[in-house]
Amino acid sequence: MLRPLLAAAAAALVLAAPAKAATYDDNAYWAFADKLQQRIDDHWSEQDGYYHLGGGGSEPMSNSMLLLTYSVAAMLGHEGPARNDHRARVLADRLVSAPPFVTKKTGSGQIHAPGWVNSMTNAHGGQHLVFDAEVVDGLTYAYRARDALQLPDSTVKKI
């Protein structure tokens, strides 16, 4: 009886101990981003122009985070799966189009316009300011990387 309790206590102490933080340089971060990109590639829909990441009201936000990654990769000249200029162009245009971008008050939550809903396909999806903030982050970096990404003028103007 004592042995399982001691084993559980030892496991708890090991799990509770702070992990030593790994030091990553830029190359290590890009290597990690490249691995993550390879894991989600199967979720890309060229026809729909975005990643299908399980719904749940987070697809515009998740796709904007990928746009941010692609944009920073382009700005820094990264070569690898975490840079995809074509998908960045498609995502940037998709994120400034309806839906998810809406110009009239619809949906539920923190209703406002202009703004973004939590769906890539339903203009009446929920709204929350956090969705706007995340999408704007991705679009900000796409705008900053517009030359490297070769964003079309029409997309740049919408941003």
Side-chain angles (χ1 to χ4, degrees):
M1 175 89 176
L2 186 57
R3 186 174 287 186
L5 289 175
L6 288 173
L13 288 173
V14 168
L15 294 175
K20 184 176 180 182
T23 302
Y24 291 123
D25 60 8
D26 287 349
N27 290 332
Y29 278 113
W30 285 119
F32 182 74
D34 288 339
K35 285 181 189 176
L36 288 179
Q37 180 60 47
Q38 292 169 335
R39 292 188 64 159
I40 64 165
D41 266 348
D42 291 343
H43 297 280
W44 173 255
S45 170
E46 187 67 30
Q47 179 180 345
D48 295 339
Y50 68 93
Y51 286 93
H52 290 266
L53 299 171
S58 66
E59 283 187 332
M61 187 167 57
S62 300
N63 278 276
S64 69
M65 291 178 195
L66 288 158
L67 174 59
L68 187 148
T69 301
Y70 294 153
S71 300
V72 172
M75 288 170 59
L76 298 178
H78 175 68
E79 294 180 16
R83 179 176 178 178
N84 192 318
D85 295 0
H86 166 71
R87 289 184 185 174
R89 288 188 294 272
V90 172
L91 283 172
D93 184 60
R94 189 72 173 77
L95 290 167
V96 293
S97 300
F101 183 69
V102 294
T103 57
K104 295 181 181 176
K105 294 180 180 183
T106 64
S108 61
Q110 295 179 348
I111 300 171
H112 59 280
W116 284 268
V117 294
N118 66 349
S119 172
M120 296 295 284
T121 59
N122 181 1
H124 298 282
Q127 287 190 291
H128 195 283
L129 296 178
V130 74
F131 296 130
D132 289 9
E134 294 296 338
V135 174
V136 167
D137 283 346
L139 291 170
T140 297
Y141 278 88
Y143 183 84
R144 291 178 64 192
R146 64 190 177 278
D147 292 335
L149 293 172
Q150 298 178 355
L151 283 183
D153 288 341
S154 58
T155 304
V156 172
K157 287 178 186 175
K158 288 180 186 178
I159 294 173

